[in-house]
Amino acid sequence: MSGRVLVGVKRVIDYAVKIRVKPDNSGIVTDGVKHSMNPFCEIAIEEAVKLKEKKLIKEVVAVSCGPQQSQETIRTALAMGADRGIHVEVTGKDYEALGPLQVSKIMAALAKKEDAQLIILGKQAIDDDCNQTGQMTAALLDWPQGTFASEVALEGDKVKVVREIDGGLETIKINTPAVVTADLRLNTPRYATLPNIMKAKKKKIANMKPADLGVDLTSRLEVLRVDEPPQRQAGVKVETVEDLVGKLKEAGTI
Amino acid sequence: MAALRPLSRIGRLASGICRNHRLICDTRRRGVASCVDPAHGLTDEQKEFQKVAFDFAANEMAPHMAEWDEKEMFPVETMRKAAQLGFGGIYVQPDVGGSGLSRLDTSVIFEALSTGCVSTTAYISIHNMCAWMIDTFGNTEQRERFCPDLCSMEKFASYCLTEPGSGSDAASLLTTAQLKGDHYILNGSKAFISGGGDTDVYVVMCRTGGKGPKGISCLVVEKGTPGLSFGKKEKKVGWNSQPTRAVILEDCAVPVTNRLGEEGQGFNIAMKGLNGGRINIASCSLGAAHACVQLARDHLLVRKQFGETLSNNQFLQFKLAEMATKLVASRLIVREAATALQENRSDASSLCAMAKLFATDECFNC
């Protein structure tokens, strides 16, 4: 086994920022807005670095797809302990249309190129909440997947994954190479230390284009319109239970 | 008409801060109004340092700040966590455990940490100053003996210059250090020492020679040395997360091997330490002002009186714009002073003093 883990890290609008819709409803305002690494991707990097510290894997490679600024996100991953980075450059209209299908094609191509033993991704990104990239990547590679992981244990050439599902916790054992997606309780990401931030400057980030990987970025989706959620309407106070029932009947809800 | 122009400029600035209101965070001080963003003009690496410091401040300090102040707790564990990230000896050299960063990097970091708790960050900056003094003026043996523990905050440090009889006139200090064999015998007292009594390593300026600055030397006194004792903890209004006590020296014997630099060099060492100390404390003011400006802005957007949010009140818009201007102006002089000190420019000392004066006053008015 190569001992190499690929971790996808996505640059998203910071979670604490209040989002604003563009006046023409074509999307969200991103210019001048604070961006940072998707929180679930932070958890994914932390897990990979932990595996390396336990000497269960040899190398952590952080991958990000996007414009020049995605390199900042890769640098953060390097400061947390990733060994090197790969920046797949996607800009302009291609970047606006970049979705799980395109990213999973890129991840699959990279996994083959880098002979990855494991791919760890965040379960979803906080901007589009798709929760698809991990699953699609596994499908494209025909690899097993352990999604919504709250615990990951490498055991020889298998991975034991405890998954958080609606019914509770499900434990599965899958063969490597595999795809794992990180859920909230998998770990608590570390702070980068000052020495590590400085060491990260010396770590390499390779640049490439999707065409270099033979990936076609054409989107099958077209965003028609982006709207804010409807404003909460004021309610109506009623005096008696009869009034309440009457109002509900009027609204057609009973 | 002429009088209206500056007013309209202030109005536009205010609306610039408030316009982005929907891009701004709840109370977590993360999303920033772009004109006061402290990340402007920084390198990518400095932005990373800043990010870690902001995250640490928000997650590890801010939630406990009120409790530390109320219960007068010296947050040893939290400071040690900060030291693990490299905040214990930010501008101390790496060979003895420091992070080896520049004065500007340091200012950026303290400014960010301060948004979590000013009082604790101020103490951390004093600790850093002492560690640097030993790193820079100590010999190899002293550096190896003291610096690693200070950088990891296994041990904490205090800076002892001020005395009951000498504050502004520091060079007239009276604490004596008489050479007897291979020890100095120290007699005297220091006042208002931050961390005093709870810290382990005391960098003490004392008189080994004649009057004036040239008679002063710098000695490192360790807690537990017979003759070293402390006054009662001072009752303060605020800044309660670091204890302040008098440091009393009565026939306290300190080995000659604890002297930093040469006899008579002490005042020089003290002043050089204070240059950085001034930048650091000014940076703490910046962080506090930054947090205040954000809180003020958030409040203006939420609070309604007379049928509208306060953000529509012109006077308050002007006030917010003025606060923002003071903050940015202060930040500029502090960062310039940091750069000057790093480059050893001839105007470094005066710039550091000006930066401290300007920033603490202006930010207080925020």
Side-chain angles (χ1 to χ4, degrees):
Chain A
M1 282 272 103
S2 73
R4 188 168 295 128
V5 175
L6 285 191
V7 182
V9 293
K10 186 178 181 187
R11 179 174 181 264
V12 298
I13 294 181
D14 188 271
Y15 79 89
V17 168
K18 283 222 176 78
I19 311 292
R20 212 159 49 119
V21 177
K22 282 190 193 156
D24 62 356
N25 292 98
S26 62
I28 305 287
V29 176
T30 54
D31 276 343
V33 177
K34 187 173 197 301
H35 282 68
S36 43
M37 190 192 290
N38 182 36
F40 294 108
C41 297
E42 282 181 359
I43 298 175
I45 285 281
E46 174 67 23
E47 197 60 24
V49 173
K50 272 190 157 129
L51 288 175
K52 194 176 90 157
E53 286 171 346
K54 287 187 204 156
K55 301 213 196 300
L56 294 170
I57 55 134
K58 296 209 197 87
E59 193 187 26
V60 178
V61 184
V63 179
S64 195
C65 308
Q68 187 62 19
Q69 296 94 319
S70 294
Q71 295 209 3
E72 288 165 17
T73 314
I74 300 178
R75 288 260 168 250
T76 307
L78 295 175
M80 284 174 73
D83 297 292
R84 61 183 165 92
I86 299 177
H87 172 215
V88 181
E89 207 179 325
V90 181
T91 54
K93 285 266 175 290
D94 281 339
Y95 180 58
E96 283 169 36
L98 193 67
L101 180 59
Q102 292 75 23
V103 173
S104 53
K105 285 182 186 172
I106 293 173
M107 290 301 297
L110 279 173
K112 290 197 191 122
K113 186 169 184 287
E114 298 283 339
D115 187 27
Q117 177 183 346
L118 194 59
I119 299 179
I120 309 182
L121 303 171
K123 71 170 178 180
Q124 66 198 59
I126 59 170
D127 50 6
D128 54 20
D129 283 325
C130 284
N131 179 10
Q132 296 170 358
T133 308
Q135 292 84 339
M136 284 180 173
T137 309
L140 287 170
L141 289 165
D142 198 25
W143 284 8
Q145 55 184 268
T147 54
F148 309 106
S150 65
E151 244 182 77
V152 172
L154 274 187
E155 292 167 7
D157 60 349
K158 296 203 199 301
V159 191
K160 191 176 83 165
V161 180
V162 176
R163 308 178 57 228
E164 292 200 3
I165 60 173
D166 289 344
L169 296 173
E170 180 193 52
T171 308
I172 59 172
K173 211 178 226 180
I174 52 180
N175 293 326
T176 54
V179 176
V180 169
T181 72
D183 208 327
L184 188 64
R185 280 160 281 272
L186 179 55
N187 59 49
T188 308
R190 63 194 60 194
Y191 295 108
T193 65
L194 298 183
N196 282 347
I197 293 175
M198 295 195 296
K199 277 189 214 144
K201 259 205 320 195
K202 303 197 184 94
K203 296 182 184 174
K204 291 210 174 3
I205 300 182
N207 281 310
M208 52 184 77
K209 300 224 162 52
D212 301 338
L213 299 167
V215 168
D216 159 35
L217 289 182
T218 332
S219 179
R220 274 64 166 167
L221 299 173
E222 188 195 333
V223 173
L224 298 175
R225 204 185 149 84
V226 178
D227 282 303
E228 276 189 22
Q231 297 279 21
R232 262 188 82 161
Q233 297 298 330
V236 174
K237 267 194 173 152
V238 292
E239 297 291 307
T240 67
V241 174
E242 285 80 15
D243 284 346
L244 176 60
V245 174
K247 290 263 180 226
L248 289 172
K249 278 194 176 147
E250 260 174 48
T253 48
I254 54 164
Chain B
M1 267 334 237
L4 286 178
R5 250 180 285 134
L7 289 183
S8 68
R9 232 177 286 143
I10 297 180
R12 245 180 290 137
L13 175 57
S15 70
I17 306 173
C18 287
R19 187 199 336 130
N20 299 323
H21 68 268
R22 290 208 233 149
L23 300 177
I24 276 80
C25 65
D26 35 55
T27 48
R28 250 168 284 190
R29 306 165 181 156
R30 286 274 213 105
V32 191
S34 24
C35 61
V36 294
D37 191 341
H40 283 317
L42 297 181
T43 63
D44 283 342
E45 201 184 39
Q46 285 165 339
K47 286 182 192 169
E48 282 291 329
F49 298 146
Q50 188 180 59
K51 178 178 179 309
V52 179
F54 265 127
D55 287 347
F56 189 84
N59 298 329
E60 309 286 335
M61 295 170 84
H64 307 293
M65 160 183 70
E67 191 193 358
W68 292 341
D69 185 71
E70 208 185 299
K71 299 200 176 141
E72 300 188 11
M73 294 166 62
F74 190 48
V76 170
E77 284 318 310
T78 304
M79 289 194 287
R80 286 196 173 134
K81 267 195 208 167
Q84 275 174 7
L85 301 184
F87 296 148
I90 301 179
Y91 48 111
V92 171
Q93 295 183 73
D95 66 329
V96 285
S99 302
L101 299 187
S102 73
R103 299 298 186 146
L104 180 53
D105 300 331
T106 306
S107 170
V108 167
I109 290 170
F110 284 141
E111 183 185 349
L113 279 182
S114 217
T115 58
C117 176
V118 183
S119 166
T120 307
T121 306
Y123 172 71
I124 295 176
S125 75
I126 292 171
H127 175 94
N128 268 264
M129 176 172 71
C130 297
W132 174 83
M133 286 160 74
I134 301 176
D135 175 40
T136 306
F137 297 102
N139 55 35
T140 312
E141 184 271 329
Q142 288 162 336
R143 291 177 76 234
E144 286 170 6
R145 186 164 28 126
F146 292 114
C147 291
D149 280 342
L150 290 179
C151 290
S152 68
M153 284 188 164
E154 184 60 39
K155 296 210 167 118
F156 292 95
S158 283
Y159 177 91
C160 306
L161 174 64
T162 301
E163 297 180 356
S166 54
S168 301
D169 187 10
S172 70
L173 62 85
L174 294 173
T175 300
T176 52
Q178 269 193 323
L179 186 58
K180 275 211 170 103
D182 56 359
H183 279 70
Y184 286 105
I185 309 299
L186 270 64
N187 274 292
S189 63
K190 297 292 184 182
F192 305 135
I193 303 307
S194 300
D198 284 3
T199 50
D200 313 283
V201 173
Y202 296 81
V203 181
V204 178
M205 270 47 77
C206 46
R207 195 166 297 287
T208 47
K211 284 208 302 202
K214 293 249 163 62
I216 296 173
S217 303
C218 181
L219 292 180
V220 179
V221 185
E222 296 170 77
K223 190 172 181 194
T225 308
L228 175 68
S229 63
F230 307 98
K232 68 164 179 37
K233 188 160 142 183
E234 306 284 357
K235 269 227 147 300
K236 299 183 295 199
V237 180
W239 283 47
N240 285 316
S241 70
Q242 33 149 307
T244 304
R245 292 190 178 91
V247 172
I248 301 160
L249 301 144
E250 291 168 307
D251 289 331
C252 180
V254 177
V256 171
T257 48
N258 277 25
R259 188 191 69 225
L260 293 184
E262 298 306 317
E263 276 197 12
Q265 203 187 350
F267 195 71
N268 191 277
I269 296 174
M271 292 303 110
K272 290 222 158 89
L274 282 184
N275 280 337
R278 291 189 176 116
I279 297 176
N280 295 342
I281 207 72
S283 306
C284 292
S285 289
L286 293 179
H290 178 77
C292 290
V293 169
Q294 299 224 230
L295 287 170
R297 180 214 49 214
D298 291 346
H299 184 68
L300 289 189
L301 292 167
V302 160
R303 173 75 174 170
K304 278 192 168 145
Q305 287 282 264
F306 306 111
E308 9 173 59
T309 52
L310 297 187
S311 55
N312 285 335
N313 178 301
Q314 193 180 51
F315 176 81
L316 293 177
Q317 288 175 353
F318 291 169
K319 187 100 179 87
L320 186 64
E322 282 164 21
M323 284 166 69
T325 306
K326 287 179 174 145
L327 171 57
V328 175
S330 304
R331 193 179 282 146
L332 287 174
I333 193 174
V334 171
R335 288 186 179 176
E336 179 66 9
T339 305
L341 188 60
Q342 185 68 34
E343 295 169 3
N344 232 332
R345 277 181 7 206
S346 54
D347 60 339
S349 283
S350 36
L351 209 42
C352 289
M354 288 178 185
K356 191 268 173 192
L357 169 63
F358 190 82
T360 49
D361 276 350
E362 292 305 304
C363 291
F364 181 73
N365 289 333
C366 280

